[in-house]
Structures are given as structure tokens and as C-alpha cells.
Amino acid sequence: MKLQCEVEVINRMLPTFGMRNRGRGTRAVLSVGRQEEKGCAQRGPIYLMICTVKDKAGSRYKLQENIENLFSKFVNEGKATIRLREPALDICLSKADVCNLKNFISAVSLAHKGTDASPVPLSRLTPARTSEIEKPRAKMIITCKKDYPLTKSFPYSLEHLQVSYCKLARVDMRMLCLKKLQKLDLSNNHIKKLPKTIGDLACLQELTLHNNLLETFEVELCDSTLRSSLKSLDLSENRLKALPFQFCNLQELVSLKLDGNELVQLPFAIGKLSKLRFLSATKNKLPYLPNSFKTLVLENLDLFGNPFAQANPMVPDIRLKVPLTLLETASRAALGYRIPYGPHVIPQHLCQDLSMAKTCDCGGLCLSSFIQAVVGMNLHQVSQTVVLVDSMGGTEAPIISYFCSLTCYSLFLDKYLQSTRM
């Protein structure tokens, strides 16, 4: 039986001589096995062997009737201590896999009691290999195609993987087996489409896809485990024309980069990204911003280089139907009273329509009967820091506003005209 963890061997006699222990652990492989003796038919005693990078041959300690105490109070945190009688040592284990540590402590206890250890898979007490002792690799950066592993797998322990300038046309499926991955950087490649299985990387917090050939962002990714893990997303310098409505399900997003694409609109419900603090969407084709944009609370915003339309609230797009249809009236009532709904209650297409309801300035909701106008908004209303929208030094951008009735539009118009006269 073997266990990989960090080990600190403390000599309990050192304080007697006025000396201190080093006080820090080192990566090691611990083995529980028998000392086989040549020419002896009897089974040898069971030993504990500790191998480190500096001592690959290992130090051996007899276990039978040689353990003074086993401290396992913090075993669920991957920690335990084996106190030996001879020599007077405390073997402190940490950063171990909890399940493996529990099995290892059980084997050590059986060996100490002299119990038949046949159920325990004993190891051969041989020197450890370097690969066994080295600390699991957490970070890997590849910036050249010749360094890309074609035959070897990526280390299972990776938490940060960067593969750039390797001309990848697709995401390597071996990357999607790295369950501990927190940061994935695939910038400066030729990736055209993302596999849906990226959503299975439950620990992924940062995804960088800068300067690829992406034309779409998969809807399935918006409904995957990324909803609760992804905090930073870089989709800059691609060929995106639109993002799916479900994109706003990624509600843990803090940073979003969309620069240098072909976006003609931002997600309709972008205001749902309540944790978003950094948004950059320069050099796209945005004529205006969605209505929910004004509910964002940002720290930094950059929308430079977009062909924003001229705000003109005096020329509205009137889609108001008087009297309201029964569908519109029922939809407004259901949303206003927050009546629960779902595909098990109403048709799926109605669920989608309700999820895309527009919000009036009065706070009311409307579906397909409304007045729409393009209104100017100072971006400092939603962000502490705003990069200039144009070369003229402006910080205003057009935003679509909706009005659920003629009354609401008239009230807005009165306020607008008063502000322009001042």
C-alpha cells in the first residue's frame, strides 16, 4: 500500500538537546510492506518506508508493536500523525487524499497490532521513482506547436492550462478530462467551434479564447456547470455576430471581453449578470444597447469603436395595440403577480416569450404591445470608469427604452423636453 502526500518527520528528542525541527513538510511516497529476506521462507516484518526526492532509497521504520499513538482527528482534512516508539519520531502527514489516507492509517494500525495483514495490499519496499515523489503539476504553458504533447496525456492534476500559437483547429478532447482545471487559455489558435463537453469542467473559472475563429457560442454551454463556476470569459477577436439569449445564465461572470467581433447586439437580458464588473466590447457593430443594460453595476466599461446610432426619443417605434390583446393582458398579469409558469403549465413558445418580456420605465412589463424609443444614456450611470465611446470624448451611448402605454411615453417625453430646455 502506497500513499502520496507531504511528510514532516519530527524527532521528539531534539528539544532535549536545545535543537529545533525544520518545521516544514516535503513531498514523499509512503509504503507499507514486508522486508523480504533472501533464503528465508518465513514472512518478514512489516515496515513503513518513506521516500523523498533527496532520499529515493527511503527510510524504513518497523511497525509491529512500535506505534505509541495514531492521531487521526483531522483525517477528513487529509492530515494525520503516526507516533513511533523507536526511534522517537512523529511522522506528520498532510495534503493527502482523504480516502487513501484512511485506508493507509487502517493498514498501519493492523501492522502495529500484529494482525494478519493479508487483506491489506502490501507494497514491495523498493526505491520510489521520481515521478511518484514529485509534486503533482498544477500549471502548464505551451506556446509553440513543437512542444504540444501528441502522444502523452496532459497531467491529470492541472489547474491552469495555456495552449497558444499551436494552430489548433478544435479543442483537444484530452483537455476535457482535466477535472481540476480552473483556468483554460486557448488564445491565438484557429478554433471554429467549442465542444459542448467544455461545460463538464465543473471547476473552470477562467476561459480565454482570444483571437480564434469562433462564429457561435453554444447554447448548451450556457446551461452547463459553467453557470455556477465561470467568472472570466474572453471571446475577443473572433467572428461572433450574436450571443444566445441563454448567455445570461452565466450569472457568476465578473469579467467579459467581446472586443473585435461582429456583434450587432448584446444579449437582451445582459442586466441579469449582476456580478459583472468588467465589460469590454470595443470595435463591434453595435448600433445601440439593450434596455436591461442600465441595470448593470460595473467598475470598468469600454465600448469604443462601435457605430452607435443617434439617440432620438422624439421618433418612437409604436407597436402598441389598443385595446390590448387577451394574450398581452394575461402575460402582463402573470409577470406582474409573479405567477409561476413552465412548459408543464403553458406551451414552450409562451415560456420563451415571457422570458423575453420588456421592462417599461414605470417598472411594468410588456410582451409584444409597446412603444420603443432610442434614448441617450450617460454610461457613468452604470460604471465607475468609462473609456470614451468615440474620438470626440463622449461617454453617452444610445439605449433602447420601452413604454407599456401612451401615458408612460408621454411622462417620459415631458421630462425629456424639460431637460433639453434647461
Side-chain angles (χ1 to χ4, degrees):
M1 172 167 283
K2 291 189 176 184
L3 177 70
Q4 292 179 323
C5 63
E6 287 198 2
V7 175
E8 181 184 357
V9 179
I10 299 175
N11 190 326
R12 299 198 301 276
M13 300 302 294
L14 286 183
T16 306
F17 304 106
M19 301 173 66
R20 288 184 179 182
N21 287 282
R22 189 175 55 171
R24 114 174 143 260
T26 185
R27 195 74 189 170
V29 173
L30 286 76
S31 305
V32 174
R34 293 189 184 278
Q35 177 67 50
E36 302 294 344
E37 298 180 6
K38 293 182 180 180
C40 182
Q42 292 183 339
R43 293 188 301 176
I46 298 178
Y47 282 82
L48 170 65
M49 186 168 79
I50 304 175
C51 298
T52 64
V53 173
K54 293 182 178 180
D55 181 17
K56 294 177 186 175
S59 302
R60 304 183 185 191
Y61 306 99
K62 188 177 178 180
L63 288 178
Q64 187 170 350
E65 298 181 357
N66 192 35
I67 295 179
E68 186 173 313
N69 209 338
L70 280 173
F71 301 96
S72 56
K73 181 178 180 179
F74 300 104
V75 69
N76 288 324
E77 297 179 14
K79 301 176 183 178
T81 298
I82 303 169
R83 174 164 288 180
L84 301 178
R85 289 196 179 105
E86 290 293 336
L89 300 177
D90 285 351
I91 301 172
C92 303
L93 316 180
S94 62
K95 298 183 181 179
D97 179 83
V98 173
C99 185
N100 292 342
L101 180 58
K102 288 180 178 179
N103 292 335
F104 190 82
I105 292 298
S106 297
V108 169
S109 180
L110 287 174
H112 162 64
K113 294 174 183 176
T115 308
D116 181 17
S118 55
V120 180
L122 299 178
S123 303
R124 291 183 62 191
L125 299 180
T126 56
R129 298 189 299 271
T130 303
S131 58
E132 290 180 303
I133 304 172
E134 286 181 339
K135 187 176 182 179
R137 193 169 182 180
K139 186 175 182 179
M140 186 178 209
I141 297 178
I142 302 170
T143 56
C144 181
K145 192 172 183 179
K146 66 181 179 63
D147 296 332
Y148 190 80
L150 296 176
T151 55
K152 293 182 180 180
S153 297
F154 292 99
Y156 74 95
S157 55
L158 283 181
E159 296 177 4
H160 180 183
L161 174 61
Q162 178 182 342
V163 181
S164 303
Y165 303 101
C166 292
K167 299 182 180 180
L168 294 182
R170 62 181 65 87
V171 178
D172 192 329
M173 299 305 288
R174 292 176 297 169
M175 299 176 187
L176 307 180
C177 298
L178 304 174
K179 299 304 180 183
K180 296 182 180 180
L181 203 60
Q182 296 179 19
K183 299 180 182 180
L184 178 59
D185 184 345
L186 298 175
S187 57
N188 300 292
N189 284 292
H190 299 162
I191 299 170
K192 294 183 178 180
K193 189 175 181 180
L194 298 176
K196 300 171 185 178
T197 43
I198 279 187
D200 295 334
L201 296 174
C203 297
L204 193 64
Q205 296 181 17
E206 297 183 22
L207 178 59
T208 303
L209 296 161
H210 167 79
N211 195 22
N212 276 281
L213 304 175
L214 293 174
E215 296 181 354
T216 59
F217 189 85
E218 304 302 317
V219 174
E220 290 79 5
L221 297 181
C222 305
D223 294 321
S224 66
T225 57
L226 297 182
R227 295 175 62 169
S228 57
S229 66
L230 195 64
K231 296 181 179 179
S232 176
L233 178 60
D234 186 349
L235 296 171
S236 57
E237 304 300 332
N238 279 281
R239 299 177 179 177
L240 297 170
K241 291 182 172 63
L243 294 171
F245 173 77
Q246 295 85 346
F247 184 85
C248 298
N249 290 342
L250 302 173
Q251 294 194 14
E252 294 299 314
L253 276 180
V254 175
S255 175
L256 176 61
K257 294 183 180 181
L258 300 169
D259 312 283
N261 280 283
E262 301 172 19
L263 294 172
V264 294
Q265 62 182 20
L266 292 176
F268 174 81
I270 194 171
K272 289 183 178 180
L273 299 178
S274 58
K275 295 184 179 180
L276 192 66
R277 295 295 177 266
F278 303 92
L279 174 61
S280 181
T282 64
K283 298 179 182 178
N284 278 279
K285 298 180 180 180
L286 300 175
Y288 43 73
L289 303 174
N291 179 255
S292 65
F293 192 90
K294 59 188 175 187
T295 64
L296 291 174
V297 182
L298 304 173
E299 292 181 18
N300 191 284
L301 174 63
D302 189 356
L303 297 174
F304 183 81
N306 281 286
F308 284 124
Q310 186 69 34
N312 190 356
M314 301 291 291
V315 184
D317 179 7
I318 301 176
R319 304 183 191 180
L320 193 65
K321 299 173 185 176
V322 181
L324 297 177
T325 63
L326 180 59
L327 175 61
E328 182 73 21
T329 304
S331 298
R332 291 188 181 190
L335 293 168
Y337 288 108
R338 297 183 180 181
I339 298 174
Y341 64 88
H344 61 290
V345 179
I346 58 176
Q348 179 67 39
H349 71 277
L350 284 181
C351 293
Q352 294 176 351
D353 290 344
L354 289 174
S355 65
M356 295 187 67
K358 287 85 176 169
T359 304
C360 175
D361 271 16
C362 72
L365 296 165
C366 45
L367 214 65
S368 58
S369 182
F370 54 84
I371 297 175
Q372 175 181 308
V374 180
V375 180
M377 182 185 73
N378 192 321
L379 296 177
H380 282 290
Q381 293 179 24
V382 297
S383 179
Q384 295 178 13
T385 304
V386 178
V387 178
L388 301 181
V389 172
D390 52 45
S391 56
M392 302 298 291
T395 58
E396 282 205 357
I399 185 170
I400 293 182
S401 288
Y402 299 100
F403 305 95
C404 63
S405 65
L406 281 170
T407 302
C408 288
Y409 178 64
S410 298
L411 289 172
F412 161 78
L413 212 54
D414 288 343
K415 293 179 182 177
Y416 172 74
L417 291 173
Q418 288 177 11
S419 64
T420 55
R421 289 170 186 164
M422 295 177 64

